[in-house]
Amino acid sequence: MRILVIEDERKVASFIKRGLEEERYIVESAADGAEGLALASANQFDAIVLDVMLPKLDGYSVLQALRAAGNATPVLMLTARASMEDRVQGLNYGADDYLAKPFHFEELAARLRSILRRSTTEKTTILACGDLQLDLVSHFAYRSEKEIELTTKEYALLEYLMRNRDRILSRSMIMQHVWKHNFDPESNIIDVYIKRLRQKIDKPGQPPLIHSIRGVGYRMRDKPVAGDDVEV
Ligand code: CA
């Protein structure tokens, strides 16, 4: 899941970013309201953590502009002012929840999970491929009901592969989505990560799920088709 954090206080922003990345979210951040609004308008995020007091454009204005443009991304607002009026104002403008500073990271993470669950009740929160399951909210992966421990990047890569199940993904698509870099043909980072994922997911005796497409990239599929290279 991709989260946008719009917060101008550097320490708070990096505290939130670090914590969320440890919980395996992909995090982008913006240090003022205008940059945040531009990022939120140009990209698809699963949720936005939005500070109220921001340079250039305050959090309420960012929220109003997003909702006016039909953007329904769930928003968790942060503020130093915990008065009832502020809380009501944020909710009236379309915030999904509200958290007063200072807060414990655990509380932010719990509120975020809660708004993500709510916003995804109509959509699926579990992706499956064969007997592999990925819970998009709790970030747990299971194969044959056994939990698989994944690092943040391994999780992001697996989520991308599973969201695009049965589709061939080129190395450059994977690079841009998971690493946010342009593909460097000299780098073998994707192959290294795929190898690690395979070691965790494709155990001997189970049908392999990550297939190599020679010269192109990878495809997640529960049954191989002719032309796929299967490396276990
Ligand atoms: Ca602020």
Side-chain angles (χ1 to χ4, degrees):
M1 294 240 175
R2 298 166 74 94
I3 312 291
L4 173 62
V5 177
I6 311 176
E7 163 64 86
D8 59 313
E9 281 167 72
R10 247 181 226 203
K11 271 193 184 162
V12 180
S14 72
F15 160 76
I16 296 174
K17 186 170 195 282
R18 237 188 0 257
L20 291 178
E21 284 176 345
E22 275 169 23
E23 302 230 346
R24 301 172 186 165
Y25 294 98
I26 295 179
V27 182
E28 285 197 43
S29 39
D32 66 63
E35 186 196 354
L37 179 59
L39 273 175
S41 309
N43 302 280
Q44 184 71 47
F45 291 97
D46 295 292
I48 299 171
V49 177
L50 176 61
D51 190 31
V52 170
M53 304 289 279
L54 289 169
K56 295 191 185 168
L57 201 60
D58 68 62
Y60 295 131
S61 307
V62 172
L63 180 59
Q64 271 186 306
L66 283 175
R67 295 301 186 241
N71 185 322
T73 307
V75 169
L76 173 63
M77 295 209 79
L78 301 179
T79 184
R81 301 173 303 173
S83 78
M84 187 54 88
E85 295 77 52
D86 282 343
R87 191 187 153 89
V88 169
Q89 193 178 10
L91 297 175
N92 282 344
Y93 286 155
D96 295 80
D97 204 352
Y98 203 91
L99 187 59
K101 290 177 180 174
F103 53 84
H104 290 287
F105 178 77
E106 287 67 30
E107 176 154 26
L108 180 132
R111 301 254 188 139
L112 204 53
R113 276 195 296 274
S114 150
I115 63 173
L116 285 167
R117 285 251 183 244
R118 257 186 278 150
S119 80
T120 49
T121 43
E122 270 103 67
K123 300 181 247 157
T124 177
T125 58
I126 307 240
L127 298 178
C129 182
D131 58 355
L132 176 68
Q133 292 197 318
L134 194 65
D135 185 321
L136 297 176
V137 175
S138 71
H139 296 157
F140 284 120
Y142 302 90
R143 180 139 197 207
S144 307
E145 287 165 20
K146 269 205 203 106
E147 193 191 328
I148 300 163
E149 299 248 358
L150 299 171
T151 64
T152 302
K153 273 284 177 270
E154 289 165 358
Y155 176 87
L157 175 59
L158 183 61
E159 180 183 325
Y160 184 55
L161 290 169
M162 287 189 74
R163 277 188 192 273
N164 293 284
R165 210 193 122 159
D166 295 331
R167 258 184 86 194
I168 296 174
L169 300 173
S170 69
R171 284 185 177 77
S172 111
M173 287 160 78
I174 295 172
M175 196 52 140
Q176 286 194 346
H177 188 90
V178 180
W179 278 270
K180 300 199 189 72
H181 294 309
N182 287 327
F183 180 56
D184 169 7
E186 302 292 309
S187 158
N188 68 343
I189 186 165
I190 294 173
D191 308 275
V192 168
Y193 271 85
I194 290 279
K195 191 171 174 200
R196 284 193 213 157
L197 263 188
R198 279 188 170 134
Q199 283 166 351
K200 293 186 175 186
I201 286 164
D202 291 339
K203 300 280 183 196
Q206 291 175 319
L209 300 176
I210 302 172
H211 305 275
S212 305
I213 311 298
R214 195 191 298 274
V216 182
Y218 295 97
R219 166 159 61 188
M220 191 97 196
R221 198 179 171 94
D222 58 354
K223 290 179 198 73
V225 287
D228 286 12
D229 286 324
V230 179
E231 297 164 4
V232 183

